[in-house]
Amino acid sequence: MVVLSLTVYYFVTRYTFTDFYRRLETRAMLAARITLENESSSNAYREIREQILEKLPQEKDYLFAIEPGKTFLEESRELNLPVSFFTNIVNGNVSEYQKDNVFFAGAKYDDDTKSYITIASAENYYYSNHLVTLKRILLVAVIFVSVLVFSASIVFSRYVFYPVSQITSQVKEIGTQNLHLRLNSTSQNDAINELKNTFNNMLDRLETSFATQNNFISNASHELGTPLTVIIGEAEVALSKERTTAEYKEALTTVLHEAERLERITKSLLFLAQTGFDGKKQKMEILRADQLLWDVKETIDRLNPKNKVFIDLSLIPDNPLKLKIRGNAQLLHLAVSNIVNNACKYSSNQPVQVSLATTNNQVIIVVKDNGIGIPEGELDYIYDPFFRASNTKNFEGYGIGLPLARNIMRQHLGEIVVTSIHGQGTTVRLTFPLEIVAGYFIS
Amino acid sequence: MRTILIPTDFTSVPLLLLKHAATSMNEELDVIFMYSTTLSDSITDLLFYSPKKIIAKVISQDFSEGCIIMQNRYPDKIQSIRYEVFTSAHANSFAMLAQANNVDEVLLPMDYNFHLKHLAFDPTRYIIRSGVPVLEVDLRLPVRISEHDLIASLMTN
């Protein structure tokens, strides 16, 4: 705005000046003609001047003859004009000069015999009056428009940011005590609503993780407490009176059994905690996925000789390079054997099918059993430590295997997807990124 | 070189048919997955008709990955996989489509109900009436095939 006003003012001023100088010049030439031409034409000129040209305020004409050697010092002193003004005219140029409000314009006039300097001066009415008005108008306009723009922008920004400030105030209200609160999202499909939904999703996740945390503590204390209770009870009963050696032996066996269970739980907990750390560096090496499966099969055979694990290699690629994955052999072995072991356990040693396939950037392992499955509503909780589905009462276990497997898969940038139909079986899909190995490795 | 056409509903079944073909046929295969759908009534949709777009709308990531798995498994057998859209419910037009694509054989699953979504239809009877050689394959599918995880069901059947 300010720049615009200044530009307008500058150009109007310039235009007024040049325009006024042109007018003065015309008058100067006319004045010279009136004085110097013969009578008839001088009369005609005078008529033109008086009838057609507007009389300017404070209009005056001067006429000086140019004689060789004349310096115009006196004239310049008399009119209060610089000497350069006159010399400029003598050299054939048009001279212009401004003194406060009075403007001078001069030109050279050539008669038949002599040359003259003719000068006209007048007060610039446009400069003194019009430009001041223009200045005032522009100033008022600038102030007015600034105020208008400023207030409009404040109103507009309030209007635009209203939903955001609403979100801010609503989010501020949500603390650890009332995590169940959600932002009111509308059905409108705009960025603000998307933001609200994102916040709500985040709150969902937060709430779930809080709930998981609480669950974990209660489950853990329960799982650790049960063997301890058995040990204490057994010991108390055994100590209550004299027993035979056989009875002591039996009691100690129970105690040992429970203590071993306790040890297994704490060990697996420790493992879970270790694999949960992302920053911890594991030794990574390049493995063949089919080799991994055979190793797992061997382990399962040792642990559970009655298993019917069937490794299906009908879809593995011809090219062994497409079976390479990068990972820690022990951890991957642990994860896969956990899943295969679960499959055997919860299907009471019915056939378990383990298949392997690769796409151009992934290695996929699918473990499928025909076991008891997972109830639909409980699929969301299977990765919570110590969670056990409601239909697993008859199976031994403490709900650490799957969370552990998922932690390991995460470390290997892999993915684990569990689909299950209650009563019909469970399918676990493990996806690993395929490791690109240089071509010379073909065996 | 043999060109086989498999009517597809983008579940694991067409891929299992492909697997069957790759294991049982001793020839290089050009595979065409044919998707049968009626066209939309909207004039704009017909104006901008593009088979590519129709396929892209219904194909799933898992199905494409399944194709890649099959190509990785049988790199020498499966020479190419492409898609065709079949839009008119007539035996003659199917015969023309088969002729235009040099189809040697059509693979059909035995006792299978297509999973029909959107405007798709089951082309089986037009294929049988068209006179193009048909090979019916008994996949011995389990009664209920899980469609939650296409790749898992491809890999375990």
Side-chain angles (χ1 to χ4, degrees), chain B residues 44-84:
Chain B
T44 358
D45 282 2
L46 290 175
L47 190 61
F48 295 106
Y49 169 77
S50 143
K52 233 183 207 169
K53 268 188 213 157
I54 292 176
I55 296 289
K57 211 166 144 190
V58 283
I59 197 169
S60 65
Q61 169 99 30
D62 279 2
F63 190 86
S64 333
E65 274 181 12
C67 288
I68 297 171
I69 291 177
M70 300 305 296
Q71 275 177 315
N72 277 339
R73 175 64 188 92
Y74 305 103
D76 301 327
K77 267 224 184 112
I78 301 174
Q79 291 297 313
S80 71
I81 293 181
R82 60 202 170 89
Y83 301 94
E84 281 290 335

Side-chain angles (χ1 to χ4, degrees), chain A residues 313-334:
Chain A
L313 298 179
S314 65
L315 281 180
I316 66 163
D318 278 358
N319 185 354
L321 283 177
K322 295 208 160 174
L323 286 169
K324 305 280 184 192
I325 49 180
R326 175 182 284 276
N328 180 299
Q330 275 174 322
L331 286 179
L332 285 180
H333 188 272
L334 184 74

